[in-house]
Amino acid sequence: MSPAGAAPGLSVRLGPLSLKNPVMTASGTSGYGLELLPYFDISRIGGIVTKSLSLRPREGNPPPRLAETPAGMLNSIGLQNIGVDAFIGEKLPVLRRHDVAVIASIFGETTEEFAKLAHALDAAEGISGVELNISCPNTARGGIEFGVDPEATSRVTRAVREATRLPVIVKLSPNVTDITLIARAAAEAGADILSLVNTFMGMGVDAGSGGMILSSGSGGLSGPAIRPMAVHLVHRVASTVKVPVIGIGGIMTGHDALEFILAGASAVQVGTATFTEPAASLRILGEIRQHCERRGAAAISELVGSLKRRGGPPPAAPAGG
Ligand code: DHB
């Protein structure tokens, strides 16, 4: 319980990664973070996760590569990015002027490419961690190829672990039969943190034209449509592994973020909400703070994994009456 009137502590510790608060932007939803500067002060949120970086620049898929769906969005960007060298040379020096944790999402077609990316970022000043995108559904090589196989997950995690001293986050795909097998493989191979979930595979058909909606056919589904499935998977993973978990999947409000936190996530990432409201992550942080105040929680960390089963003991009464 917090002393009456004291602001709740919002800082979180995820193994070796300390954040000033639990709200980050999700990879691929705000470029390299600088795109958010016209909208809000990025130093107020817990962290920025970059669009996935590859060794060389990638043009991505031809349009159409984004489509709205009921309560969500389908995308098949094809990992368009400027490449790790341009990120380090052009974007990172600007990001360094802002007091925000920068997590570099990395994508390789092979284990060696992942390791090279991690090594390059290790030497760059101003990176707080790397997030392995082993779950992109939109590439012929790499991506989800790793994330659906425990052995491949283990190999790539170990190679990155050996290539960097930075905190290693492994981002899991929901497109698997048993996510706990992949989570265990990543944790045992040296992942410091797991983030989940990446997008669910989906497809849209334009019945009028008789064609597929995305140029690539299928893509990744995100947004509120996936939230109950994401909360379920976060709960399963957080109940299985000891490493801290970051919850991702259709978070639009502070209440949504709390769902993940109570289910076991130590922090959250906000993605699709940013497309319609670039400052959504900051608003959601404010709503989390209000929630803690209402519950009389002295610190957000008290709430992590504090989910009660229906019929179990009632939650602690809010302070102050
Ligand atoms: C892309 C990458 C992802 O990891 C994802 O979930 C969806 C799309 C992409 O760049 O195509």
Side-chain angles (χ1 to χ4, degrees):
M1 289 292 134
S2 66
L10 291 178
S11 64
V12 289
R13 219 193 141 120
L14 296 98
L17 177 67
S18 293
L19 301 175
K20 64 176 78 151
N21 64 61
V23 182
M24 287 172 262
T25 58
S27 177
T29 60
S30 47
Y32 306 101
L34 302 174
E35 289 80 346
L36 296 173
L37 290 176
Y39 301 97
F40 71 100
D41 174 5
I42 57 174
S43 72
R44 293 182 61 191
I45 60 171
I48 298 274
V49 187
T50 69
K51 176 68 181 157
S52 295
L53 299 163
S54 45
L55 283 176
R56 282 162 296 283
R58 289 173 66 112
E59 275 193 12
N61 293 333
R65 52 189 200 173
L66 265 185
E68 228 174 294
T69 64
M73 186 175 89
L74 265 177
N75 90 85
S76 178
I77 303 302
L79 296 156
Q80 179 186 4
N81 77 100
I82 58 174
V84 71
D85 293 338
F87 171 74
I88 292 172
E90 295 162 25
K91 306 290 182 186
L92 195 53
V94 190
L95 276 171
R96 269 203 294 269
R97 293 188 212 137
H98 301 269
D99 177 24
V100 63
V102 176
I103 309 292
S105 170
I106 57 174
F107 164 81
E109 293 192 351
T110 62
T111 300
E112 292 69 35
E113 285 188 9
F114 270 102
K116 279 188 187 160
L117 285 158
H119 184 70
L121 289 158
D122 190 70
E125 193 195 321
I127 302 283
S128 295
V130 290
E131 181 180 80
L132 279 60
N133 183 355
I134 57 164
S135 39
C136 171
N138 301 326
T139 173
R141 297 193 61 210
I144 207 165
E145 229 179 28
F146 290 104
V148 296
D149 175 6
E151 274 177 33
T153 298
S154 176
R155 271 197 303 277
V156 72
T157 305
R158 190 160 286 124
V160 168
R161 174 73 291 158
E162 285 167 8
T164 181
R165 295 155 300 171
L166 290 168
V168 173
I169 306 170
V170 175
K171 185 165 180 177
L172 304 182
S173 172
N175 301 296
V176 293
T177 311
D178 183 352
I179 200 166
T180 64
L181 299 179
I182 313 286
R184 269 209 193 93
E188 282 166 13
D192 296 302
I193 303 163
L194 303 179
S195 60
L196 63 149
V197 294
N198 206 319
T199 50
F200 284 78
M201 294 217 64
M203 189 172 98
V205 172
D206 182 346
S209 71
M212 289 165 159
I213 288 175
L214 297 177
S215 70
S216 59
S218 294
L221 180 68
S222 61
I226 71 167
R227 194 172 58 245
M229 297 185 283
V231 171
H232 162 70
L233 292 171
V234 162
H235 184 235
R236 284 208 68 198
V237 168
S239 315
T240 303
V241 294
K242 292 214 170 71
V243 296
V245 167
I246 300 172
I248 320 164
I251 296 174
M252 309 300 276
T253 67
H255 184 274
D256 299 343
L258 262 300
E259 278 197 60
F260 284 92
I261 291 170
L262 267 66
S266 302
V268 294
Q269 293 178 6
V270 174
T272 303
T274 305
F275 281 68
T276 47
E277 183 193 352
S281 48
L282 185 60
R283 171 183 54 78
I284 289 166
L285 173 63
E287 291 168 1
I288 293 174
R289 181 183 292 115
Q290 282 168 8
H291 180 95
C292 289
E293 283 164 1
R294 274 200 304 274
R295 270 180 87 129
I300 184 71
S301 51
E302 282 178 13
L303 302 182
V304 173
S306 66
L307 191 64
K308 303 273 190 308
R309 279 188 182 280
R310 266 199 183 276

